[in-house]
């Protein structure tokens, strides 16, 4: 860029410098700056004062340390570098070019530095983060008797903040009072900022209230203090007070309040501020627009962020970084990478902050190759040891499960601070390397580093995944001693960890004592109850959440739907479905999948199918849930047809999908089809066979009576058979009367699961079926000696948002007389229709008549009788049982459904049975 030349008198001492300065500035100025300077170079050439002024303007326009050095050299040649005002301007120039050491060298050459020179030096140090050097210079200045003024003291107070030296700050404050500068608004504003920086907002506010003529700097200082101390609501109130007092906010004030809206996640307040600043004409100010982009991006409103960003005429590096970082924060990693491409196309060069975000996006998208390319470029540029980039590299490699590379990147960071440790621990936790995450946390503690809420949240995530109750309690103790039990992130992590460790009392206690009361805490507790099979408790917590006027999110609804699924609480599930509709979560994939699962497990495959059809983007989880639902209901052919449709749409099955496919074949007795899928699993779908897949096949062969084939498959397994496999063989042996195989399977189960009562019960039942009563007595004696308690058979039914539970011979219900009367009535009608009690299925050593009575009082029959007297005629009845339905009840329900013209949907431990028109959906194969 060429600048217009200012004509000077031939005798002017500034002429040589002027010519050189113009040449230097042409190399360093941006076009906009050069044009601005050109407009200032038009005073009359004969005025020396004008020449000094213009040269001062030229100095102030220089931005690079190289340009500053050249100007300094030419001033020295002209003998002007030590005279005012140039020496002061040079000190300020070196400070602005981030070269305080050059400013110090120049200062040391001054023969008699005055208070302006000292002030400029102190300012150079404090503005460049060298607070300790600034304070030492102030002390030297005082010892030499050089007086301070209203420009010196703000720089000294800033140095106290920079060096985190509160004691020095209070001493300087005392000096301010003694010297009478406390009434100067410039000094008072800096005191407000200093006390806020030390977290003493009350003192900061008191000082602010003492300023007689507050200006915008005063208000902005207190606003920034509130934001820095995360007192976002106070910042919003202060901004409102500022506006009401008639103070017009400037771009810095708007930036502060927008940051407060971001911190408090108050998008509606942010939008209001956006409207206000637009009316005042700040919508085109770069400082303000960057804050707007940052707010919208970080609060997840990518559309609004893109709109504001698109209106910026020339986005600077901050604009791009705000948008990219916001996208990464909310998981829009592909969008972030696309923005990087746009950024480079615009000619903007990414900096370390950009690349740190981009590396996180690479981790989020699993694009390790791209991340490694960026790493290679950083090494070439010598920037790979930068702390910001280093953290991004650690995060990427850890989350991509490249722990060795993550460790190498970590140890290349010059100083491993809390942020870098958090990146390593969080990355390990995120990638499922939970043991490594805990090991890193232990090492960090041994090295004496403090932790924060981010550290504890990542560690608790790993203890939850490992179900490490001892470590969870230790972390709880650390959090208590460090005062983090008021932090909602830590509280939520504790609730989740205790819940995953099945310590629901501890989870509830943390929830109640800490009173976090946010949506995440309620979600954690609801999920904990749901995953532990305590669906009723989960629903109670949800009701409490609604009472506190908290709006559930899609994760809460998903957890609740899973709770309803575990209880087979169809009516309550429908109510949660209404919440999903009201809150607009129907397009949320998590809620959609949970709806499919809930309806399938509550016995309504029709509703499950409808929910599945309404999921906009069906992923593998959606398809697996629907295939599994059809399988559980005995619709084997439909499940396999749906699987074929999934393949046609280009989706590849995972191990869960193929487990559902094998279950569908199992429940429908499709042996040949199951063998085909099992044999081709690795070759066709690239899925390795797991214990679960082998257990499905062995169960399928066992049910079909092909026990020899089942045992051959056990011997061919590439790993030791687990309890699922031996349990399937024991069940098949009981059904088909293979005593020897049953004994072998039971012995293996005694070793694998000695605490489970089901093995003893199945073995005793197998012996009883063969009338081997001595063996039955031995098994029962073994059970007693081992202190193993038999799990009682239980059935439950939902009526009007309440769950009613029954055990065999139960007489605890308020309507017991009506229930038993209904059973007698049904018994008479069934006998007339040809029903004969299957007394041989009762394995008690009692008379046939007594066996008949025992059979008639089974828990599932009591539940059905209660449902019949409690619901209108023809309404489907849904019953759940915790064990396998017995053959007599199965036969009885085929008669009952026809007699009362009502569908009975029974869910036992294995599958669903739909009894309708005298038949069962399982085709008597279960």
């Amino acid at each position: 860029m060429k600048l217009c030349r200012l004509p000077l008198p031939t005798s002017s001492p500034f002429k040589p410098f002027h010519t050189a300065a113009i040449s230097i500035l042409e190399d360093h100025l941006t076009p906009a700056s050069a044009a601005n300077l050109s407009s200032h170079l038009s005073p009359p050439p004969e005025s020396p004062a004008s020449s000094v002024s213009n040269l001062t303007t030229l100095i102030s326009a220089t931005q690079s340390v190289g340009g500053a050095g050249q100007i300094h050299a030419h001033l020295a040649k002209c003998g002007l570098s030590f005279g005012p005002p140039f020496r002061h301007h040079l000190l300020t120039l070196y400070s602005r070019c981030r070269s305080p050491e050059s400013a110090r060298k120049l200062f040391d050459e001054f023969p008699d530095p005055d208070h302006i020179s000292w002030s400029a030096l102190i300012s150079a140090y404090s503005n460049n983060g060298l607070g300790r050097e600034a304070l030492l210079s102030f002390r030297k200045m005082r010892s030499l008797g050089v007086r301070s003024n209203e420009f010196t003291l703000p720089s000294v107070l800033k140095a106290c903040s920079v060096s985190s030296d509160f004691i020095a700050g209070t001493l300087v404050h005392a000096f301010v009072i003694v010297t009478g500068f406390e009434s100067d608004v410039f000094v008072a504003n800096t005191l407000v900022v200093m006390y806020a920086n030390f977290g003493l907002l009350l003192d900061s506010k008191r000082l602010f209230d003492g300023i007689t003529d507050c200006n915008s700097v005063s208000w902005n200082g207190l606003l920034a203090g509130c934001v820095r101390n995360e007192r976002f609501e106070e910042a919003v109130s202060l901004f409102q007070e500022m506006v009401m007092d008639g103070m017009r906010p400037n771009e810095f004030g708007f930036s502060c309040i927008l940051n407060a809206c971001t911190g408090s996640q108050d998008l509606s307040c942010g939008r209001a501020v956006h409207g206000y600043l637009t009316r005042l004409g700040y919508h085109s100010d770069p400082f303000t627009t960057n804050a707007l982009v940052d707010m919208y991006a970080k609060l997840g409103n990518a559309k609004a962020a893109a709109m504001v960003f698109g209106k910026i005429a020339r986005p600077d590096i901050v604009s791009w970084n705000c948008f990219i970082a916001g996208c990464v924060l909310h998981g829009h990693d592909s969008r972030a990478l696309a923005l990087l491409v746009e950024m480079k196309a615009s000619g903007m060069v990414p900096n370390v902050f950009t690349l740190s975000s981009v590396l996180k996006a690479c981790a989020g998208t699993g694009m390790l190759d791209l991340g490694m390319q960026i790493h290679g470029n950083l090494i070439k540029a010598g920037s790979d040891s930068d702390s910001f980039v280093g953290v991004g590299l650690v995060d990427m490699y850890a989350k991509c499960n490249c722990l060795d590379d993550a460790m190498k990147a970590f140890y290349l960071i010059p100083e491993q601070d809390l942020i870098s440790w958090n990146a390593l621990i969080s990355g390990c936790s995120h990638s499922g390397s939970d043991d490594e995450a805990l090991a890193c946390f232990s090492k960090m503690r041994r090295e004496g580093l403090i932790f924060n809420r981010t550290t504890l949240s990542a560690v608790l995530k790993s203890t939850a995944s490992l179900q490490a109750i001892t470590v969870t309690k230790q972390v709880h103790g650390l959090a208590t001693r460090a005062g983090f039990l008021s932090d909602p992130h830590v509280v939520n992590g504790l609730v989740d960890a205790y819940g995953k460790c099945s310590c629901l009392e501890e989870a509830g206690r943390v929830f109640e004592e800490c009173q976090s009361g946010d949506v995440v805490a309620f979600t954690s507790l609801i999920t904990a109850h749901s995953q532990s099979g305590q669906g009723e408790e989960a629903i109670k917590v949800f009701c409490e959440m609604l009472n506190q006027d908290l709006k559930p999110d899609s994760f809460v609804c998903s957890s609740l739907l899973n709770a309803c699924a575990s209880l087979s609480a169809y009516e309550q599930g429908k109510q949660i479905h209404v919440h999903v509709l009201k809150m607009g979560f129907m397009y949320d994939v998590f809620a959609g999948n949970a709806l499919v699962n809930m309806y399938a497990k509550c016995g309504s495959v029709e509703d499950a199918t409808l929910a599945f059809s309404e999921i906009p983007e069906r992923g593998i989880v959606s398809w697996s849930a629907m295939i599994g639902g059809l399988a559980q209901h005995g619709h084997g052919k439909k499940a396999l047809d749906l699987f074929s449709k999934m393949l046609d749409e280009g989706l590849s099955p995972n191990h869960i999908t193929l487990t559902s496919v094998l279950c569908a074949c199992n429940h429908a007795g499709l042996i040949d089809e199951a063998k085909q899928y099992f044999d081709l699993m690795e070759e066709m779908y690239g899925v390795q066979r797991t214990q679960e897949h082998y257990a499905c096949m062995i169960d399928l062969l066992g049910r079909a009576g092909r026990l020899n084939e089942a045992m051959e498959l056990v011997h061919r397994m590439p790993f030791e058979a687990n309890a699922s496999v031996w349990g399937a063989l024991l069940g098949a042996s009981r059904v088909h009367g293979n005593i020897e195989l049953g004994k072998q399977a039971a012995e293996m189960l005694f070793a694998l699961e000695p605490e489970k009562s089901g093995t003893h019960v199945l073995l005793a039942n197998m012996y009883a079926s063969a009338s081997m009563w001595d063996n039955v007595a031995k098994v029962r004696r073994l059970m007693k000696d081992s202190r193993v308690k038999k799990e009682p058979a239980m059935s439950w039914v939902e009526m009007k948002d309440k769950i009613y539970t029954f055990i065999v011979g139960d007489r605890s219900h308020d309507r017991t007389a009506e229930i038993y009367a209904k059973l007698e009535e049904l018994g008479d009608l069934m006998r007339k229709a040809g029903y004969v009690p299957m007394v041989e299925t009762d394995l008690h050593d009692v008379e046939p008549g007594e066996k008949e009575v025992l059979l008639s009082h089974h828990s599932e029959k009591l539940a059905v009788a209660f449902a019949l007297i409690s619901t209108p005629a023809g309404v489907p009845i849904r019953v759940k049982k915790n064990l396998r339905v017995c053959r007599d009840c199965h036969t009885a329900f085929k008669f009952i459904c026809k007699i009362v013209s009502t569908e009975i949907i029974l869910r036992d431990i294995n599958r669903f049975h739909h009894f309708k028109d005298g038949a069962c959906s399982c085709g008597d194969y279960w």
Side-chain angles (χ1 to χ4, degrees):
M1 168 64 72
K2 292 291 180 184
L3 298 174
C4 61
R5 306 280 176 169
L6 176 66
L8 293 172
T10 307
S11 59
S12 171
F14 302 110
K15 184 144 189 168
F17 170 76
H18 181 272
T19 304
I22 289 289
S23 176
I24 293 165
L25 286 172
E26 284 175 349
D27 293 335
H28 292 282
L29 286 177
T30 63
S33 300
N36 184 41
L37 277 174
S38 295
S39 66
H40 287 288
L41 298 178
S42 55
E46 61 275 4
S47 168
S50 296
S51 297
V52 172
S53 173
N54 286 322
L55 289 171
T56 302
T57 304
L58 289 171
I59 292 171
S60 65
T62 304
Q63 300 295 327
S64 72
V65 69
Q70 291 180 52
I71 290 174
H72 183 184
H74 284 287
L75 277 172
K77 280 183 184 177
C78 300
L80 300 172
S81 60
F82 294 151
F86 290 115
R87 68 181 184 183
H88 304 140
H89 287 311
L90 279 172
L91 284 172
T92 304
L93 174 60
Y94 279 126
S95 171
R96 190 173 66 248
C97 294
R98 303 216 170 271
S99 182
E101 62 279 2
S102 299
R104 180 74 210 198
K105 286 178 184 176
L106 173 64
F107 178 85
D108 289 340
E109 294 174 4
F110 295 169
D112 54 343
D114 57 10
H115 69 282
I116 300 175
S117 302
W118 279 103
S119 297
L121 178 65
I122 293 168
S123 176
Y125 279 135
S126 61
N127 286 341
N128 286 281
L130 301 173
R132 184 59 50 200
E133 288 79 357
L135 292 174
L136 289 171
S137 298
F138 178 62
R139 191 175 299 160
K140 181 69 175 175
M141 172 187 174
R142 294 277 301 127
S143 69
L144 294 173
V146 180
R147 64 183 178 85
S148 307
N149 65 6
E150 67 275 19
F151 301 107
T152 315
L153 293 172
S155 295
V156 177
L157 290 167
K158 182 178 180 180
C160 297
S161 294
V162 168
S163 59
S164 301
D165 193 338
F166 179 65
I167 294 173
T170 55
L171 291 173
V172 177
H173 188 182
F175 179 76
V176 166
I177 294 170
V178 169
T179 52
F181 282 109
E182 75 273 18
S183 59
D184 182 86
V185 69
F186 196 41
V187 176
N189 289 345
T190 316
L191 280 167
V192 169
V193 172
M194 184 192 76
Y195 278 99
N197 285 344
F198 285 114
L200 301 170
L201 272 179
L202 283 176
D203 292 327
S204 181
K205 183 74 166 63
R206 283 169 55 200
L207 287 165
F208 173 82
D209 292 338
I211 301 173
T212 51
D213 295 318
C214 286
N215 57 21
S216 62
V217 178
S218 316
W219 286 97
N220 290 345
L222 190 57
L223 264 176
C226 290
V227 174
R228 190 175 295 110
N229 288 278
E230 298 186 358
R231 306 276 275 274
F232 304 118
E233 288 77 11
E234 289 181 39
V236 172
S237 299
L238 187 67
F239 183 79
Q240 291 171 341
E241 183 184 341
M242 172 185 171
V243 174
M244 293 296 290
D245 280 2
M247 181 63 65
R248 180 187 172 98
N250 60 14
E251 64 274 16
F252 187 78
F254 278 121
S255 176
C256 285
I257 190 61
L258 289 169
N259 288 338
C261 296
T262 303
S264 61
Q265 297 190 329
D266 192 342
L267 185 59
S268 60
C269 180
R271 283 172 175 154
V273 173
H274 188 180
Y276 182 47
L277 67 87
T278 301
R279 288 198 299 275
L280 294 185
Y282 282 99
H283 56 285
S284 58
D285 173 74
F287 202 55
T288 308
T289 50
N290 286 345
L292 277 170
V293 171
D294 183 64
M295 178 194 72
Y296 282 125
K298 284 182 179 173
L299 295 185
N301 193 334
K303 187 176 180 181
M307 182 191 71
V308 176
F309 182 83
K311 291 181 179 179
I312 302 175
R314 291 181 180 174
D316 59 15
I317 190 68
V318 178
S319 316
W320 287 102
N321 286 349
C322 287
F323 200 2
I324 291 171
C327 289
V328 172
L329 181 66
H330 289 278
H332 305 308
D333 300 307
S334 298
R335 179 76 182 275
L337 295 176
L339 282 169
L340 175 68
V341 174
E342 290 179 34
M343 177 184 180
K344 295 185 78 173
S346 73
M348 183 66 65
V349 179
N351 63 10
V352 292
F353 300 102
T354 323
L355 295 175
S356 178
S357 294
V358 168
L359 288 168
K360 290 177 183 176
C362 292
T365 54
M367 297 179 71
L368 180 61
D369 290 342
L370 176 60
M372 292 176 76
Q373 288 176 29
I374 293 171
H375 189 183
N377 291 332
L378 287 167
I379 292 172
K380 289 177 185 175
S383 303
D384 58 316
S385 60
D386 178 89
S387 59
F388 287 100
V389 171
V391 167
L393 287 168
V394 170
D395 179 75
M396 179 194 71
Y397 282 123
K399 286 181 178 174
C400 290
N401 212 19
C402 299
L403 291 184
D404 289 341
D405 292 318
M407 290 292 183
K408 288 175 186 175
F410 176 77
Y411 286 112
L412 280 173
I413 299 173
E415 292 183 13
Q416 287 90 27
D417 58 6
L418 178 61
I419 296 172
S420 55
W421 276 104
N422 281 349
L424 184 60
I425 294 168
S426 299
C428 291
S429 180
H430 178 85
S431 65
S433 304
D434 298 302
D435 289 317
E436 287 80 359
L438 299 185
C440 289
F441 179 60
S442 297
K443 188 174 182 182
M444 171 187 162
R445 295 278 295 143
R446 286 196 301 272
E447 293 189 8
L449 269 80
I450 59 169
F451 50 82
N452 63 5
R453 71 180 187 185
T454 304
T455 326
L456 293 178
S457 298
V459 170
L460 287 168
K461 183 177 182 293
S462 286
T463 66
S465 298
L466 294 170
Q467 298 182 346
I469 183 60
T470 303
V471 185
T472 299
K473 287 181 177 179
Q474 291 172 354
V475 176
H476 189 176
L478 281 174
T480 303
R481 290 192 293 275
F484 278 105
L485 289 189
S486 59
D487 186 279
H489 295 82
V490 177
V491 171
N492 297 341
L494 282 168
V495 172
D496 181 58
Y498 277 125
K500 297 269 174 61
C501 294
S502 300
C503 294
L504 292 178
E505 285 187 16
E506 286 294 332
R509 192 177 297 117
V510 170
F511 179 82
E512 292 294 336
E513 289 176 358
C514 300
Q515 295 183 340
S516 172
D518 64 359
V519 172
V520 179
F522 274 100
T523 304
S524 297
L525 193 58
I526 289 168
T527 304
H529 283 302
S530 176
Q531 290 176 342
S532 298
Q534 297 188 4
E536 288 184 80
E537 289 300 317
I539 292 169
K540 284 179 186 176
V541 176
F542 176 66
C543 293
E544 183 184 341
M545 179 183 178
L546 293 179
N547 290 337
Q548 293 190 20
D549 294 328
L550 288 170
K551 183 181 178 181
D553 59 16
S554 60
F555 295 104
V556 173
C557 292
S558 299
S559 294
L560 279 166
L561 289 166
N562 290 333
C564 294
S566 69
L567 290 170
S568 288
Y570 178 69
E571 293 300 327
Q572 288 180 331
K574 286 202 295 185
Q575 290 177 26
I576 305 301
H577 190 173
V578 171
H579 282 286
V580 170
L581 288 167
K582 283 182 179 178
M583 294 168 192
F585 297 143
M586 279 307 298
Y587 297 108
D588 181 271
V589 68
F590 293 103
N593 293 341
L595 277 169
V596 172
N597 180 58
M598 184 273 294
Y599 280 124
K601 288 185 176 175
C602 287
S604 180
V605 75
E606 296 82 6
D607 287 327
T609 304
L610 185 60
F612 175 76
S613 68
E614 291 178 351
I615 299 174
E617 293 183 15
R618 293 188 284 269
I620 192 63
V621 177
S622 314
W623 288 93
S624 298
M626 192 65 233
I627 292 167
L630 290 168
Q632 276 198 315
H633 288 269
H635 302 302
K637 289 289 187 184
K638 287 183 180 179
L640 297 183
D641 288 343
L642 190 65
F643 178 64
S644 297
K645 186 177 178 183
M646 183 194 91
L647 296 176
D648 291 341
E649 292 197 10
L651 272 81
S652 298
N654 59 17
H655 68 284
I656 297 172
T657 322
L658 290 167
T659 300
S660 297
V661 168
L662 292 176
C663 285
C665 296
N666 190 358
H667 292 313
L670 303 172
I671 299 172
D672 293 337
E673 290 86 342
K675 278 186 169 184
Q676 183 181 358
Y677 287 120
F678 184 79
D679 292 339
L680 296 175
M681 193 176 291
E682 291 188 40
E683 181 184 334
M684 185 173 289
Y685 307 117
V687 176
Q688 288 191 335
R689 300 182 191 93
T690 65
Q691 287 268 19
E692 203 169 359
H693 298 135
Y694 277 94
C696 277
M697 278 304 299
I698 290 163
D699 187 41
L700 174 78
L701 294 168
R703 284 170 187 265
R706 296 158 73 162
L707 297 176
N708 290 335
E709 286 183 57
M711 279 306 295
E712 285 175 15
L713 189 56
V714 171
H715 295 314
R716 292 206 312 269
M717 285 171 63
F719 26 65
E720 289 293 322
N722 63 8
S724 298
V725 170
W726 290 113
L729 285 170
L730 177 57
S733 300
R734 184 187 72 82
V735 172
H736 298 286
N738 191 323
I739 303 296
E740 288 305 314
L741 181 56
K743 280 177 65 177
Q744 181 187 351
E747 286 169 6
M748 296 302 298
L749 285 168
F750 287 146
L752 291 167
E753 296 178 338
E755 77 286 354
K756 293 289 180 72
S757 64
T759 305
H760 297 79
V761 173
L762 273 174
L763 184 60
N765 288 350
M766 184 179 69
Y767 286 138
S769 296
S771 298
M772 299 169 69
W773 300 109
D774 289 342
N775 289 34
V776 172
K778 286 179 184 177
V779 174
R780 288 177 177 168
R781 194 160 44 247
L782 174 65
M783 195 172 177
K784 185 177 180 181
D785 294 342
S786 304
R787 295 183 178 178
V788 175
K789 291 185 178 179
K790 178 186 175 183
E791 182 183 5
M794 296 174 63
S795 298
W796 54 94
V797 64
E798 179 191 19
M799 289 290 154
K800 296 179 181 177
D801 296 339
K802 190 173 178 182
I803 308 294
Y804 295 90
T805 307
F806 298 89
I807 59 174
V808 63
D810 199 336
R811 292 184 178 271
S812 62
H813 199 278
D814 292 342
R815 302 180 69 182
T816 293
E818 295 175 75
I819 291 168
Y820 280 88
K822 187 66 177 179
L823 281 176
E824 275 196 43
E825 176 193 333
L826 290 170
D828 291 340
L829 293 170
M830 283 194 294
R831 276 188 286 272
K832 289 177 183 177
Y835 163 74
V836 177
M838 302 173 72
V839 292
E840 70 277 8
T841 62
D842 186 272
L843 304 176
H844 294 89
D845 192 9
V846 294
E847 293 299 318
E850 197 172 343
K851 286 187 176 188
E852 191 173 326
V853 172
L854 289 170
L855 286 172
S856 69
H857 296 165
H858 275 193
S859 63
E860 54 264 57
K861 287 194 179 88
L862 293 171
V864 168
F866 170 65
L868 286 171
I869 64 173
S870 305
T871 55
V875 174
I877 293 169
R878 290 178 169 82
V879 176
K880 183 180 177 184
K881 186 176 181 182
N882 65 332
L883 302 176
R884 185 176 183 270
V885 62
C886 80
R887 285 193 293 143
D888 178 73
C889 289
H890 192 272
T891 302
F893 290 151
K894 288 195 287 185
F895 281 93
I896 292 172
C897 72
K898 191 170 184 179
I899 289 167
V900 298
S901 301
T902 297
E903 183 182 6
I904 300 171
I905 303 163
L906 174 68
R907 174 185 170 188
D908 70 6
I909 196 170
N910 290 323
R911 61 172 297 156
F912 277 91
H913 301 265
H914 291 255
F915 299 95
K916 190 175 183 181
D917 298 328
C920 179
S921 60
C922 73
D924 297 337
Y925 183 85
W926 86 103

